Amino acid sequence: MKKKIIWVVIAALILGIVIFLASPQLRVKAFVSMYGDKIEAGLNNGSGVPGHLGEYSFNTWEGEHDMLEFILFTRGDMYYGCYYSYDNVPLAFQNTEAELTQNGHDYWEWSAENGSHGSTSEITDHWYYFEAAFE
């Protein structure tokens, strides 16, 4: 009986890991959950982004509404990550001037003339998930 329970637990853990790795949005939400408060605290107190974010790097993109963007991983021509919107405004990838079209309560899509396209959705106040594709 104990062996059966152990195998069920192992199978559930493996399934959970597979689902987590297969879902870009879950991976990004985990990043925001782990680092979001620390990043916001650094931005609010003037100390900047903490240097202990592991392998993750960031870019600051200025515009009408500034953003701090984290590309967390790529798959082929797709980019996945999150950004901190200082004004809590949804933005296109790298703060380009591509127009956002709202397609749901907290979901927006964009496309550029060169065939690039993507989407963004709100995770929590000031934090947004993004996907971007380049052709």
Side-chain angles (χ1 to χ4, degrees):
M1 182 67 162
K2 287 183 181 180
K3 281 187 176 183
K4 189 175 186 179
I5 292 172
I6 290 171
W7 283 110
V8 168
V9 169
I10 290 171
L13 287 172
I14 290 171
L15 180 61
I17 290 169
V18 168
I19 290 171
F20 177 77
L21 292 176
S23 172
Q25 198 162 16
L26 285 178
R27 291 174 67 182
V28 171
K29 284 182 177 182
F31 172 86
V32 172
S33 177
M34 187 178 305
Y35 297 115
D37 289 343
K38 294 174 188 168
I39 292 168
E40 278 190 75
L43 295 174
N44 291 333
N45 71 23
S47 65
V49 177
H52 59 281
L53 298 178
E55 65 186 89
Y56 304 112
S57 60
F58 63 91
N59 288 307
T60 300
W61 299 96
E62 295 178 351
E64 183 178 346
H65 304 282
D66 295 343
M67 74 178 341
L68 179 66
E69 181 181 74
F70 297 85
I71 297 174
L72 301 184
F73 62 98
T74 61
R75 286 187 186 155
D77 293 337
M78 290 291 296
Y79 291 78
Y80 302 91
C82 60
Y83 59 92
Y84 179 82
S85 172
Y86 290 87
D87 297 333
N88 200 27
V89 173
L91 303 161
F93 183 68
Q94 296 182 340
N95 209 0
T96 62
E97 293 188 17
E99 183 178 335
L100 292 176
T101 303
Q102 191 163 6
N103 194 1
H105 177 65
D106 290 328
Y107 180 81
W108 298 264
E109 296 176 334
W110 63 271
S111 62
E113 291 180 17
N114 64 2
S116 301
H117 61 278
S119 63
T120 188
S121 58
E122 186 175 25
I123 298 171
T124 187
D125 285 346
H126 297 276
W127 286 100
Y128 293 82
Y129 168 78
F130 73 80
E131 296 180 2
F134 295 91
E135 298 182 12

